[in-house]
Every structure is written in C-alpha cells, then in structure tokens.
Amino acid sequence: MIVFIEIFPVIVFIALIVMTILLRKKKNPEKLAVFFSVFALVCGIVHIFCEFYPFEYTGESGIDYIGQALIWGLFVNAILYTTLAAYVGFAIAATFFAVKAIKNKETRKKGIIALILGWICGLVISGLILTNIFSDYSNKKNIQVEVTEVSLTKSTDGEPAVRVELELYNGSKKEISYLSSVYEEVTQDGKELSHAPLFENINDDDPDIQFLEPGQSITIVKGYELEDPDDSVNILCRSYDGRFIYVDDEFEVER
C-alpha cells in the first residue's frame, strides 16, 4: 500500500502526458487548452489549500499510536503529491495546446488566456516551495540539543546500561517534537548501541512526542545497552536530513 501511495502521483502525471500525446492531432486546440488549463487551475487551488490547511491527525495520541499517525501522514502527503502531479500534468497539456492556439490569429486570445490560467498557480506554488525551504532551514538551524548527563545505570533486565539525559530547546518559530526533529545515535568503539528500557521511563508521559511551543524546553532520558561499562560513548544528535549537527562528542560514563 505504501509503495502504491508513493507511485500514484507518478501514474497520474504519466497518464496526463499520454492523454496529451493522444489528443495532439485534434482540431480546435484552443478548446483543449482552456479545458486543461481549468483543470490545472482547480488542481493547483486544491494543492495550495492543502498546503495551507493540512488535514491534521486527530486520533489517539501516545507512543503506541505513532504508526497510525505515520499512515495518516502518508495519505496526506499522497494528496499533496497527487494534486501537484495533476496540476503540473494539466498545465503542461494546457501549454502544449495553448502554443498551437496562439499560432492562429483567431484563437490566439484563448491560447494566451489558457496559458495564464494554466500557470498562475505555478507561481504561487513555487513561492510556497521556496518559502517552505527557507522556513525549514531556519527552524532546524534554531533547534538546540544539549547532553546534560551520561551515567551508568541498569536496565529493567538488570543489565549495565548508560543513561543519557538530553535537553531540547525549541528556538524555531513552529511547534516541534523531539521524535520528529532529532535523530540520535549512541555508539561505543564505532558500534551503535541498542536501546535499553529504564525503570524511570516505564510510566513517563512520552516526552519524545510532546510538542514544544517556540521558546520551550524539554528533558529527554534515553537508555542504551553498554558494550563496555568502562569505555566512553559517542553521542550524535542531528537533523534527519543531516544538514545540522546539534551534538557530536565523546562522553565519559559517570558512575
């Protein structure tokens, strides 16, 4: 299902291109230009509406329901990508027939109108994309993560574990959560350590997925299985795209 969701926008785009090729020899290109440009305009408006007013997940919250939230997010992205693919496909088709219509003096006016209608949303969408890129860069840049404690402890199984305490500060201009904003990796001698359950985390309120308003901070506690209790650990915290490194340092395990 996930693969189908990802390739569906591509299928829509290819179908529109094939339709354009099949209709390329039809008479009255100005009518086809207007037809495709109107559909492009509608798809563009729907896409812009979904960008400004996304369908937020309103189901159960908590770590046990992350899967449902992720599936919801996939469907929302499918709507966004499908409407964008449909818009671009219709706009290209409208452009093809509009150019043919513009060559004829009698249909030139309709061709120009179709061209404008077909690409007016493109300017808005391009602006949105550029705005989102700069906004995303700024938001990730202003997130701060600090390692406040690295200490020896025991997991719920009684095995040696390292307790890593992190503080996340939201210096961005939007709501964020630790889980959606920070990728962390704890290694020892180059080997990634597996997560270890800690007693103090059994009844916590899932701080990983709590949303922080701009200017707020939260403390996150993680446990990891230790390969060697006497050896230091390396902690890496970065944005998921790897553009920003918040922490990348060696820490001695306190006893």
Side-chain angles (χ1 to χ4, degrees), residues 64-109:
D64 295 332
Y65 297 94
I66 287 178
Q68 294 181 20
L70 289 174
I71 294 296
W72 179 269
L74 283 173
F75 276 109
V76 171
N77 283 335
I79 293 172
L80 286 171
Y81 294 140
T82 300
T83 53
L84 180 60
Y87 166 72
V88 174
F90 279 122
I92 290 174
T95 302
F96 177 81
F97 292 109
V99 169
K100 293 181 71 174
I102 289 172
K103 291 179 180 179
N104 189 328
K105 289 184 178 180
E106 295 179 0
T107 59
R108 183 173 296 167
K109 191 173 182 180

Side-chain angles (χ1 to χ4, degrees), residues 235-254:
I235 300 175
L236 169 68
C237 295
R238 61 171 175 80
S239 59
Y240 280 96
D241 58 9
R243 184 177 294 176
F244 296 98
I245 305 296
Y246 305 122
V247 177
D248 187 7
D249 207 351
E250 200 84 16
F251 295 86
E252 295 295 328
V253 181
E254 299 176 2

Side-chain angles (χ1 to χ4, degrees), residues 159-191:
E159 298 296 326
V162 60
R163 178 184 184 274
V164 177
E165 185 177 283
L166 304 149
E167 184 171 318
L168 170 68
Y169 171 73
N170 182 13
S172 71
K173 295 181 179 180
K174 70 171 188 176
E175 282 188 338
I176 65 167
S177 70
Y178 181 85
L179 186 64
S180 63
S181 304
V182 181
Y183 168 83
E184 102 249 340
E185 184 178 278
V186 179
T187 58
Q188 197 171 51
D189 294 328
K191 292 178 62 178

Side-chain angles (χ1 to χ4, degrees), residues 130-184:
L130 289 174
T131 300
N132 286 338
I133 290 173
F134 287 118
S135 176
D136 184 64
Y137 180 89
S138 177
N139 286 328
K140 289 176 180 176
K141 181 181 179 181
N142 290 298
I143 291 173
Q144 297 176 22
V145 181
E146 181 184 359
V147 178
T148 54
E149 185 180 325
V150 180
S151 58
L152 186 65
T153 186
K154 287 188 177 181
S155 67
T156 54
D157 298 325
E159 298 296 326
V162 60
R163 178 184 184 274
V164 177
E165 185 177 283
L166 304 149
E167 184 171 318
L168 170 68
Y169 171 73
N170 182 13
S172 71
K173 295 181 179 180
K174 70 171 188 176
E175 282 188 338
I176 65 167
S177 70
Y178 181 85
L179 186 64
S180 63
S181 304
V182 181
Y183 168 83
E184 102 249 340

